[in-house]
Amino acid sequence: MKILVVDDHAAFRRSLSEFLRSRAGIEVVGEAANGKEAVEQTARLHPDLVLMDVSMPTMSGYDATRIIKEQHPETRVIILSSHSGEVYRSAALESHADGYIEKHTMKSDLTHLLEESGFGSSNVRMAI
């Protein structure tokens, strides 16, 4: 499974990328620091899954997700956020994200997601 990691905090991106690389069958194909870079890198790298932060400069994760899903509907996008609550999950749904994971439960939720997917891009899903 090819994954693009998107977050404006470099230390978080590195940490998440290291965690993902430690899992068999995962290839982190790139990292982006904002939504605009995420859209550009998705077009160039063709990841199976984009892990997208919500709050970023230049373009929000929700806006970037909407564009990615319009241009690359086969690419799965999971929103990562430090925010909890129905308003954030609803915004993820409206942006056509394939899932929403809160950062404070990310390690267990992401592990569960990857295990359930069998690393096949067409099977990646997470309830919003």
Side-chain angles (χ1 to χ4, degrees), residues 2-94:
K2 299 185 306 182
I3 298 179
L4 174 64
V5 176
V6 184
D7 197 287
D8 58 326
H9 292 94
F12 179 82
R13 282 195 318 270
R14 278 192 302 275
S15 177
L16 179 55
S17 293
E18 286 175 22
F19 168 76
L20 293 167
R21 285 184 182 108
S22 72
R23 305 199 49 92
I26 301 291
E27 177 186 4
V28 177
V29 294
E31 296 180 8
N34 61 58
K36 183 176 183 281
E37 288 179 11
V39 171
E40 292 167 353
Q41 287 197 37
T42 298
R44 187 169 50 84
L45 301 171
H46 305 286
D48 300 309
L49 175 64
V50 177
L51 297 175
M52 179 81 69
D53 184 31
V54 172
S55 301
M56 295 181 292
T58 310
M59 181 187 297
S60 77
Y62 294 130
D63 291 338
T65 297
R66 192 173 295 107
I67 293 168
I68 288 169
K69 294 302 287 185
E70 287 172 3
Q71 296 178 354
H72 310 278
E74 72 286 355
T75 300
R76 303 296 183 232
V77 180
I78 302 296
I79 298 286
L80 304 177
S81 178
S82 56
H83 305 289
S84 61
E86 192 55 41
V87 68
Y88 298 100
R89 290 181 186 280
S90 294
L93 183 62
E94 290 172 13

